[in-house]
Short mmCIF file of all heavy atoms in Angstrom, two decimals:
data_model
loop_
_atom_site.label_atom_id
_atom_site.label_comp_id
_atom_site.label_asym_id
_atom_site.label_seq_id
_atom_site.Cartn_x
_atom_site.Cartn_y
_atom_site.Cartn_z
N GLY Z 1 0.83 -1.21 0.00
CA GLY Z 1 0.00 0.00 0.00
C GLY Z 1 0.86 1.25 0.00
O GLY Z 1 1.08 1.86 1.06
N PRO Z 2 1.38 1.64 -1.15
CA PRO Z 2 2.30 2.79 -1.19
C PRO Z 2 1.61 4.08 -0.75
O PRO Z 2 0.44 4.33 -1.08
CB PRO Z 2 2.70 2.86 -2.67
CG PRO Z 2 2.33 1.54 -3.25
CD PRO Z 2 1.15 1.06 -2.48
N SER Z 3 2.36 4.91 -0.03
CA SER Z 3 1.91 6.26 0.29
C SER Z 3 2.20 7.15 -0.91
O SER Z 3 2.78 6.73 -1.91
CB SER Z 3 2.62 6.78 1.53
OG SER Z 3 4.00 7.00 1.25
N PHE Z 4 1.82 8.43 -0.80
CA PHE Z 4 2.03 9.34 -1.93
C PHE Z 4 3.53 9.52 -2.21
O PHE Z 4 3.94 9.57 -3.38
CB PHE Z 4 1.38 10.70 -1.65
CG PHE Z 4 1.49 11.67 -2.79
CD1 PHE Z 4 0.78 11.46 -3.95
CD2 PHE Z 4 2.32 12.77 -2.70
CE1 PHE Z 4 0.89 12.34 -5.02
CE2 PHE Z 4 2.43 13.66 -3.75
CZ PHE Z 4 1.71 13.45 -4.91
N ILE Z 5 4.34 9.62 -1.15
CA ILE Z 5 5.78 9.75 -1.33
C ILE Z 5 6.34 8.53 -2.05
O ILE Z 5 7.21 8.64 -2.93
CB ILE Z 5 6.46 9.94 0.04
CG1 ILE Z 5 6.14 11.32 0.62
CG2 ILE Z 5 7.96 9.75 -0.06
CD1 ILE Z 5 6.70 12.48 -0.17
N GLN Z 6 5.83 7.35 -1.71
CA GLN Z 6 6.28 6.13 -2.38
C GLN Z 6 5.80 6.06 -3.83
O GLN Z 6 6.51 5.56 -4.70
CB GLN Z 6 5.81 4.90 -1.60
CG GLN Z 6 6.50 4.73 -0.26
CD GLN Z 6 5.92 3.60 0.56
OE1 GLN Z 6 4.71 3.56 0.81
NE2 GLN Z 6 6.76 2.67 0.99
N PHE Z 7 4.60 6.58 -4.08
CA PHE Z 7 4.10 6.61 -5.45
C PHE Z 7 4.98 7.47 -6.35
O PHE Z 7 5.22 7.14 -7.52
CB PHE Z 7 2.66 7.13 -5.48
CG PHE Z 7 1.63 6.03 -5.53
CD1 PHE Z 7 0.68 5.92 -4.53
CD2 PHE Z 7 1.61 5.12 -6.58
CE1 PHE Z 7 -0.27 4.90 -4.56
CE2 PHE Z 7 0.66 4.10 -6.62
CZ PHE Z 7 -0.28 3.99 -5.61
N ILE Z 8 5.48 8.58 -5.81
CA ILE Z 8 6.37 9.42 -6.61
C ILE Z 8 7.65 8.67 -6.93
O ILE Z 8 8.17 8.73 -8.06
CB ILE Z 8 6.66 10.74 -5.87
CG1 ILE Z 8 5.37 11.53 -5.63
CG2 ILE Z 8 7.64 11.59 -6.67
CD1 ILE Z 8 5.57 12.82 -4.88
N ALA Z 9 8.20 7.94 -5.93
CA ALA Z 9 9.40 7.13 -6.19
C ALA Z 9 9.11 6.07 -7.25
O ALA Z 9 9.96 5.80 -8.11
CB ALA Z 9 9.87 6.48 -4.89
N LEU Z 10 7.93 5.49 -7.19
CA LEU Z 10 7.53 4.50 -8.20
C LEU Z 10 7.54 5.13 -9.60
O LEU Z 10 8.09 4.55 -10.55
CB LEU Z 10 6.14 3.96 -7.87
CG LEU Z 10 5.56 2.85 -8.75
CD1 LEU Z 10 4.61 1.98 -7.93
CD2 LEU Z 10 4.79 3.41 -9.95
N GLY Z 11 6.95 6.30 -9.71
CA GLY Z 11 6.92 6.98 -11.01
C GLY Z 11 8.31 7.33 -11.51
O GLY Z 11 8.60 7.18 -12.71
N MET Z 12 9.18 7.77 -10.61
CA MET Z 12 10.54 8.13 -11.03
C MET Z 12 11.33 6.90 -11.44
O MET Z 12 12.14 6.96 -12.38
CB MET Z 12 11.25 8.87 -9.91
CG MET Z 12 10.75 10.29 -9.69
SD MET Z 12 11.78 11.24 -8.55
CE MET Z 12 11.12 12.89 -8.82
N GLY Z 13 11.12 5.77 -10.75
CA GLY Z 13 11.79 4.54 -11.15
C GLY Z 13 11.37 4.10 -12.54
O GLY Z 13 12.21 3.72 -13.37
N LEU Z 14 10.07 4.16 -12.81
CA LEU Z 14 9.58 3.79 -14.14
C LEU Z 14 10.07 4.78 -15.20
O LEU Z 14 10.35 4.38 -16.34
CB LEU Z 14 8.05 3.74 -14.13
CG LEU Z 14 7.43 2.63 -13.27
CD1 LEU Z 14 5.90 2.70 -13.34
CD2 LEU Z 14 7.92 1.24 -13.72
N LEU Z 15 10.15 6.05 -14.84
CA LEU Z 15 10.65 7.04 -15.79
C LEU Z 15 12.11 6.77 -16.14
O LEU Z 15 12.51 6.90 -17.32
CB LEU Z 15 10.50 8.45 -15.20
CG LEU Z 15 11.03 9.60 -16.07
CD1 LEU Z 15 10.30 9.64 -17.42
CD2 LEU Z 15 10.88 10.92 -15.34
N LEU Z 16 12.92 6.39 -15.14
CA LEU Z 16 14.31 6.04 -15.42
C LEU Z 16 14.39 4.86 -16.39
O LEU Z 16 15.18 4.89 -17.35
CB LEU Z 16 15.03 5.71 -14.11
CG LEU Z 16 16.48 5.22 -14.24
CD1 LEU Z 16 17.34 6.27 -14.91
CD2 LEU Z 16 17.04 4.86 -12.87
N ALA Z 17 13.57 3.85 -16.15
CA ALA Z 17 13.56 2.70 -17.06
C ALA Z 17 13.13 3.12 -18.47
O ALA Z 17 13.71 2.68 -19.47
CB ALA Z 17 12.63 1.61 -16.52
N ALA Z 18 12.12 3.99 -18.55
CA ALA Z 18 11.64 4.44 -19.86
C ALA Z 18 12.71 5.25 -20.59
O ALA Z 18 12.88 5.11 -21.81
CB ALA Z 18 10.38 5.29 -19.67
N LEU Z 19 13.45 6.09 -19.88
CA LEU Z 19 14.52 6.87 -20.52
C LEU Z 19 15.60 5.95 -21.07
O LEU Z 19 16.15 6.19 -22.16
CB LEU Z 19 15.11 7.86 -19.52
CG LEU Z 19 14.22 9.05 -19.14
CD1 LEU Z 19 14.84 9.86 -18.01
CD2 LEU Z 19 13.96 9.95 -20.34
N CYS Z 20 15.93 4.89 -20.32
CA CYS Z 20 16.94 3.94 -20.81
C CYS Z 20 16.45 3.21 -22.05
O CYS Z 20 17.21 3.01 -23.02
CB CYS Z 20 17.28 2.93 -19.71
SG CYS Z 20 18.13 3.64 -18.28
N VAL Z 21 15.18 2.82 -22.06
CA VAL Z 21 14.62 2.15 -23.23
C VAL Z 21 14.62 3.08 -24.44
O VAL Z 21 14.99 2.69 -25.55
CB VAL Z 21 13.20 1.65 -22.92
CG1 VAL Z 21 12.52 1.15 -24.21
CG2 VAL Z 21 13.23 0.54 -21.88
N CYS Z 22 14.21 4.31 -24.23
CA CYS Z 22 14.17 5.29 -25.34
C CYS Z 22 15.56 5.58 -25.87
O CYS Z 22 15.74 5.81 -27.08
CB CYS Z 22 13.51 6.58 -24.87
SG CYS Z 22 11.74 6.43 -24.56
N SER Z 23 16.57 5.59 -24.99
CA SER Z 23 17.94 5.83 -25.46
C SER Z 23 18.44 4.69 -26.34
O SER Z 23 19.33 4.88 -27.18
CB SER Z 23 18.88 6.02 -24.26
OG SER Z 23 19.03 4.81 -23.54
N MET Z 24 17.88 3.48 -26.17
CA MET Z 24 18.23 2.35 -27.04
C MET Z 24 17.42 2.38 -28.34
O MET Z 24 17.93 2.05 -29.40
CB MET Z 24 18.00 1.03 -26.30
CG MET Z 24 18.94 0.80 -25.14
SD MET Z 24 18.76 -0.85 -24.38
CE MET Z 24 17.21 -0.66 -23.52
N ARG Z 25 16.13 2.77 -28.22
CA ARG Z 25 15.24 2.76 -29.39
C ARG Z 25 15.51 3.94 -30.31
O ARG Z 25 15.52 3.80 -31.53
CB ARG Z 25 13.79 2.78 -28.89
CG ARG Z 25 12.75 2.82 -30.01
CD ARG Z 25 12.79 1.54 -30.83
NE ARG Z 25 11.80 1.55 -31.88
CZ ARG Z 25 11.96 2.14 -33.07
NH1 ARG Z 25 13.09 2.76 -33.35
NH2 ARG Z 25 11.00 2.09 -33.98
N TRP Z 26 15.72 5.13 -29.74
CA TRP Z 26 15.96 6.33 -30.55
C TRP Z 26 17.22 7.04 -30.05
O TRP Z 26 17.15 8.13 -29.47
CB TRP Z 26 14.78 7.29 -30.45
CG TRP Z 26 13.49 6.72 -30.95
CD1 TRP Z 26 13.13 6.50 -32.25
CD2 TRP Z 26 12.36 6.30 -30.16
NE1 TRP Z 26 11.88 5.97 -32.34
CE2 TRP Z 26 11.36 5.84 -31.06
CE3 TRP Z 26 12.08 6.27 -28.80
CZ2 TRP Z 26 10.13 5.36 -30.63
CZ3 TRP Z 26 10.87 5.79 -28.36
CH2 TRP Z 26 9.92 5.34 -29.26
N PRO Z 27 18.38 6.43 -30.25
CA PRO Z 27 19.62 7.02 -29.71
C PRO Z 27 19.96 8.37 -30.32
O PRO Z 27 20.60 9.20 -29.66
CB PRO Z 27 20.69 5.96 -30.06
CG PRO Z 27 20.11 5.21 -31.21
CD PRO Z 27 18.64 5.19 -30.99
N GLN Z 28 19.56 8.61 -31.54
CA GLN Z 28 19.85 9.89 -32.20
C GLN Z 28 18.69 10.87 -32.13
O GLN Z 28 18.71 11.89 -32.81
CB GLN Z 28 20.23 9.62 -33.67
CG GLN Z 28 21.40 8.69 -33.85
CD GLN Z 28 22.67 9.21 -33.20
OE1 GLN Z 28 22.94 10.41 -33.22
NE2 GLN Z 28 23.46 8.31 -32.62
N GLY Z 29 17.67 10.54 -31.35
CA GLY Z 29 16.51 11.41 -31.28
C GLY Z 29 15.42 10.92 -32.21
O GLY Z 29 15.52 9.87 -32.85
N ILE Z 30 14.37 11.70 -32.30
CA ILE Z 30 13.24 11.37 -33.17
C ILE Z 30 13.26 12.34 -34.34
O ILE Z 30 13.05 13.54 -34.17
CB ILE Z 30 11.91 11.47 -32.39
CG1 ILE Z 30 11.93 10.50 -31.20
CG2 ILE Z 30 10.74 11.17 -33.31
CD1 ILE Z 30 10.70 10.60 -30.32
N GLY Z 31 13.49 11.80 -35.52
CA GLY Z 31 13.63 12.67 -36.68
C GLY Z 31 14.87 13.52 -36.55
O GLY Z 31 15.97 13.04 -36.27
N ARG Z 32 14.69 14.82 -36.72
CA ARG Z 32 15.81 15.75 -36.57
C ARG Z 32 15.87 16.38 -35.19
O ARG Z 32 16.69 17.26 -34.94
CB ARG Z 32 15.71 16.86 -37.63
CG ARG Z 32 15.82 16.35 -39.07
CD ARG Z 32 15.78 17.51 -40.04
NE ARG Z 32 15.93 17.06 -41.42
CZ ARG Z 32 15.94 17.86 -42.47
NH1 ARG Z 32 15.80 19.18 -42.29
NH2 ARG Z 32 16.08 17.38 -43.68
N ILE Z 33 15.00 15.95 -34.32
CA ILE Z 33 14.92 16.50 -32.96
C ILE Z 33 15.72 15.62 -32.01
O ILE Z 33 15.44 14.43 -31.87
CB ILE Z 33 13.46 16.61 -32.48
CG1 ILE Z 33 12.64 17.47 -33.46
CG2 ILE Z 33 13.41 17.19 -31.09
CD1 ILE Z 33 13.14 18.88 -33.61
N ARG Z 34 16.74 16.20 -31.40
CA ARG Z 34 17.55 15.46 -30.44
C ARG Z 34 16.95 15.63 -29.04
O ARG Z 34 16.66 16.73 -28.60
CB ARG Z 34 18.99 15.97 -30.43
CG ARG Z 34 19.91 15.14 -29.53
CD ARG Z 34 21.28 15.76 -29.39
NE ARG Z 34 21.94 15.88 -30.68
CZ ARG Z 34 22.39 17.04 -31.16
NH1 ARG Z 34 22.22 18.15 -30.48
NH2 ARG Z 34 22.99 17.07 -32.33
N ILE Z 35 16.74 14.51 -28.35
CA ILE Z 35 16.17 14.50 -27.01
C ILE Z 35 17.22 13.96 -26.04
O ILE Z 35 17.91 12.98 -26.35
CB ILE Z 35 14.89 13.65 -26.95
CG1 ILE Z 35 13.87 14.17 -27.97
CG2 ILE Z 35 14.29 13.67 -25.55
CD1 ILE Z 35 12.63 13.31 -28.09
N GLY Z 36 17.32 14.57 -24.89
CA GLY Z 36 18.35 14.19 -23.92
C GLY Z 36 17.96 13.00 -23.07
O GLY Z 36 17.81 13.13 -21.85
N TRP Z 37 17.82 11.83 -23.72
CA TRP Z 37 17.46 10.63 -22.95
C TRP Z 37 18.49 10.33 -21.87
O TRP Z 37 18.14 10.14 -20.69
CB TRP Z 37 17.35 9.42 -23.87
CG TRP Z 37 16.46 9.54 -25.08
CD1 TRP Z 37 16.86 9.42 -26.39
CD2 TRP Z 37 15.05 9.76 -25.11
NE1 TRP Z 37 15.79 9.57 -27.23
CE2 TRP Z 37 14.65 9.78 -26.48
CE3 TRP Z 37 14.08 9.98 -24.14
CZ2 TRP Z 37 13.35 9.99 -26.88
CZ3 TRP Z 37 12.78 10.18 -24.54
CH2 TRP Z 37 12.41 10.18 -25.89
N ILE Z 38 19.75 10.27 -22.28
CA ILE Z 38 20.81 9.92 -21.34
C ILE Z 38 21.01 11.04 -20.31
O ILE Z 38 21.22 10.78 -19.12
CB ILE Z 38 22.14 9.64 -22.08
CG1 ILE Z 38 21.94 8.47 -23.05
CG2 ILE Z 38 23.25 9.33 -21.09
CD1 ILE Z 38 21.54 7.18 -22.38
N ARG Z 39 20.95 12.27 -20.76
CA ARG Z 39 21.08 13.40 -19.83
C ARG Z 39 20.01 13.31 -18.75
O ARG Z 39 20.28 13.54 -17.56
CB ARG Z 39 20.97 14.71 -20.59
CG ARG Z 39 22.16 15.02 -21.48
CD ARG Z 39 21.91 16.27 -22.32
NE ARG Z 39 23.08 16.64 -23.10
CZ ARG Z 39 24.01 17.48 -22.68
NH1 ARG Z 39 23.90 18.04 -21.49
NH2 ARG Z 39 25.05 17.76 -23.44
N GLY Z 40 18.79 13.02 -19.17
CA GLY Z 40 17.71 12.90 -18.20
C GLY Z 40 17.90 11.71 -17.27
O GLY Z 40 17.63 11.80 -16.07
N ALA Z 41 18.38 10.59 -17.82
CA ALA Z 41 18.61 9.40 -17.00
C ALA Z 41 19.69 9.65 -15.96
O ALA Z 41 19.58 9.23 -14.80
CB ALA Z 41 18.98 8.22 -17.88
N ARG Z 42 20.76 10.33 -16.35
CA ARG Z 42 21.84 10.65 -15.40
C ARG Z 42 21.33 11.56 -14.29
O ARG Z 42 21.64 11.36 -13.10
CB ARG Z 42 23.00 11.31 -16.14
CG ARG Z 42 23.81 10.34 -17.01
CD ARG Z 42 24.68 11.09 -18.00
NE ARG Z 42 25.68 11.91 -17.34
CZ ARG Z 42 26.92 11.53 -17.06
NH1 ARG Z 42 27.30 10.30 -17.39
NH2 ARG Z 42 27.77 12.33 -16.49
N ALA Z 43 20.54 12.57 -14.67
CA ALA Z 43 19.98 13.47 -13.66
C ALA Z 43 19.03 12.72 -12.73
O ALA Z 43 19.02 12.95 -11.51
CB ALA Z 43 19.26 14.63 -14.34
N LEU Z 44 18.23 11.82 -13.30
CA LEU Z 44 17.27 11.08 -12.50
C LEU Z 44 17.98 10.09 -11.57
O LEU Z 44 17.55 9.88 -10.42
CB LEU Z 44 16.29 10.34 -13.41
CG LEU Z 44 15.01 9.79 -12.77
CD1 LEU Z 44 14.30 10.87 -11.98
CD2 LEU Z 44 14.10 9.23 -13.85
N GLY Z 45 19.06 9.47 -12.05
CA GLY Z 45 19.83 8.58 -11.19
C GLY Z 45 20.40 9.31 -9.99
O GLY Z 45 20.33 8.83 -8.85
N THR Z 46 20.94 10.49 -10.24
CA THR Z 46 21.47 11.30 -9.13
C THR Z 46 20.35 11.74 -8.20
O THR Z 46 20.48 11.69 -6.97
CB THR Z 46 22.19 12.54 -9.69
OG1 THR Z 46 23.22 12.12 -10.59
CG2 THR Z 46 22.82 13.35 -8.56
N GLY Z 47 19.22 12.17 -8.78
CA GLY Z 47 18.10 12.64 -7.98
C GLY Z 47 17.50 11.56 -7.10
O GLY Z 47 17.15 11.81 -5.93
N LEU Z 48 17.39 10.33 -7.63
CA LEU Z 48 16.86 9.23 -6.83
C LEU Z 48 17.76 8.92 -5.64
O LEU Z 48 17.29 8.65 -4.53
CB LEU Z 48 16.68 7.99 -7.70
CG LEU Z 48 15.42 7.94 -8.57
CD1 LEU Z 48 15.49 6.76 -9.53
CD2 LEU Z 48 14.17 7.85 -7.70
#
């Protein structure tokens, strides 16, 4: 029975996993748009 604080941790954990998946699926970005998948993952790892 997660509390709200735990739910936020749950969401951040899933977001980290999603950023890692996206960095494998679209390493160069989507089209001509570069997205900071790895930058976000590094920041999220430090933040967690």
Side-chain angles (χ1 to χ4, degrees):
S3 69
F4 183 70
I5 290 295
Q6 290 174 306
F7 262 120
I8 299 178
L10 184 151
M12 287 190 168
L14 293 180
L15 178 60
L16 176 60
L19 289 173
C20 293
V21 171
C22 290
S23 68
M24 293 186 287
R25 178 65 179 83
W26 299 287
Q28 302 300 323
I30 301 176
R32 297 183 178 181
I33 303 299
R34 185 188 300 123
I35 303 174
W37 307 119
I38 300 299
R39 290 173 175 269
R42 287 164 63 93
L44 195 52
T46 304
L48 280 172

